[in-house]
Amino acid sequence: MSISVRIRVSREEKGLSQAELATAVGVTRGACGHWEQGKSVPSVENLARIAGFLGVRFEWLATGRGPQDYDPAILDEPSQQHQSDVPFMDGEMQDLLAALKRLPPTSRSRLLD
């Protein structure tokens, strides 16, 4: 399953429109449409926001690996939730996001594909 399908399926499972997802992530509805059609890939930051808003695990959304559902009870420390402006990210996910941010855009796209 591609990242575009994972985004669409997750959104539809929550009963949300593309416009609602776009508002939550801070992008246009057209951007969401392009992601779901596979015409573009969300930035790592937007992917993390999508995962948090839809309540799915970042790793699953980005790669298709691991469990889909996010369980807030698995956070190591409640204070870690406030260390990031992206909800539902533990320390390891924050480190992964920081590493992904350092990659050139073409490498990010290849990695997400």
Side-chain angles (χ1 to χ4, degrees):
M1 180 183 316
S2 68
I3 190 169
S4 60
V5 172
R6 288 190 297 275
I7 293 169
R8 181 182 51 78
V9 166
S10 298
R11 177 184 58 76
E12 289 176 347
E13 285 177 352
K14 302 296 183 199
L16 299 168
S17 68
Q18 287 181 346
E20 290 169 314
L21 178 59
T23 298
V25 176
V27 299
T28 66
R29 195 218 48 84
C32 286
H34 284 171
W35 297 337
E36 292 185 4
Q37 294 167 18
K39 292 181 178 179
S40 65
V41 177
S43 68
V44 174
E45 293 87 355
N46 284 339
L47 196 60
R49 288 183 183 102
I50 294 166
F53 181 68
L54 296 177
V56 297
R57 294 182 51 86
F58 177 85
E59 179 184 15
W60 176 82
L61 192 59
T63 68
R65 292 189 303 253
Q68 174 181 354
D69 293 329
Y70 172 78
D71 180 2
I74 64 170
L75 282 175
D76 295 334
E77 297 287 330
S79 62
Q80 284 183 340
Q81 189 173 8
H82 302 293
Q83 292 176 357
S84 171
D85 65 343
V86 180
F88 308 116
M89 288 189 59
D90 61 15
E92 182 180 16
M93 286 293 111
Q94 291 176 30
D95 293 342
L96 180 58
L97 179 59
L100 287 171
K101 284 181 179 179
R102 291 189 296 268
L103 289 174
T106 55
S107 296
R108 287 186 213 170
S109 295
R110 284 197 314 259
L111 180 63
L112 290 174
D113 288 339

